[in-house]
């Protein structure tokens, strides 16, 4: 299990996949549940590069689960899945998060299937399959600023006209 809380993963270069974070599990499937789990909370993954896929986050092979809450994945690049590459058989849950401004061919932000817990903002849905609660999800340019140091860490501050500003009502969804 990998737990990352209130962190910034920036300016890394991966090999074939996984510029920021690369989790792989090529072993035989376990009897039940995910063998490997990635939990990211209040974390920024930005300005990372991989040659093939998963510039920001790559989950590949085997049974891998992931839970992303209040995560920004922006400004990463790879040939496919510039933000997130999901080539694993586990479930990836994402809520209260932003995935955008990534570059990755025909799948710039997400390559694979994710389960939404609502209140997410995705710039591009090309190459992504999204299920779960999607009522308050939005897409399009999040109008994020450059990566800067801010109270609480290194973040992409939303611009003054960003659609993500105040998009989660107080007391709702964590």
């Amino acid at each position: 299990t990998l737990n990352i809380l209130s962190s910034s993963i920036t300016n890394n270069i991966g090999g074939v996949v996984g510029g920021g974070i690369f989790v792989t599990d090529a072993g035989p499937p376990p009897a039940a549940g995910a063998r490997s789990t990635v939990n990211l909370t209040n974390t920024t993954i930005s300005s990372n590069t991989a040659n093939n896929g998963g510039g920001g986050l790559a989950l590949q092979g085997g049974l891998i689960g992931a839970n992303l809450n209040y995560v920004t994945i922006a400004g990463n690049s790879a040939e496919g899945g510039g933000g997130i590459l999901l080539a694993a058989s586990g479930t990836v849950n994402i809520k209260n998060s932003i995935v955008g401004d990534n570059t990755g061919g025909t799948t710039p932000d997400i390559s694979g299937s994710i389960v939404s817990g609502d209140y997410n903002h995705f710039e591009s849905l090309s190459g992504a399959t999204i299920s779960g609660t999607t009522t308050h999800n939005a897409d399009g340019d999040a109008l994020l600023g450059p990566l800067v140091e801010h109270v609480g860490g290194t973040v992409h501050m939303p611009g003054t006209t960003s659609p993500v500003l105040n998009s989660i009502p107080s007391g709702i969804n964590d």
Side-chain angles (χ1 to χ4, degrees):
T1 299
L2 173 65
N3 296 307
I4 298 176
L5 174 64
S6 300
S7 298
S8 298
I9 299 166
T10 60
N11 298 311
N12 297 289
I13 299 173
V16 177
V17 295
I21 298 174
F22 175 41
V23 178
T24 186
D25 182 7
R35 178 191 319 281
S36 302
T37 303
V38 178
N39 299 304
L40 303 173
T41 305
N42 194 31
T43 294
T44 298
I45 301 174
S46 181
S47 305
N48 301 291
T49 303
N51 291 333
N52 233 7
L57 171 64
L59 307 175
Q60 184 175 33
L63 193 55
I64 302 169
N67 301 297
L68 287 66
N69 192 14
Y70 288 107
V71 173
T72 299
I73 299 177
N76 302 288
S77 64
E79 282 200 24
I84 302 172
L85 170 69
L86 306 170
S89 56
T91 301
V92 176
N93 302 297
I94 182 170
K95 67 179 182 176
N96 308 318
S97 296
I98 300 169
V99 182
D101 291 340
N102 299 290
T103 55
T106 59
T107 58
D109 290 321
I110 301 169
S111 178
S113 299
I114 62 171
V115 178
S116 170
D118 218 2
Y119 292 98
N120 297 297
H121 192 99
F122 306 108
E123 183 166 336
S124 172
L125 298 174
S126 176
T129 302
I130 301 174
S131 62
T133 306
T134 60
T135 306
H136 299 99
N137 286 352
D139 59 10
D141 192 347
L143 301 173
L144 298 176
L147 195 61
V148 297
E149 291 295 322
H150 185 70
V151 176
T154 305
V155 298
H156 286 276
M157 296 296 294
T160 57
T161 59
S162 173
V164 302
L165 289 174
N166 300 314
S167 62
I168 303 174
S170 181
I172 301 294
N173 217 40
D174 299 336

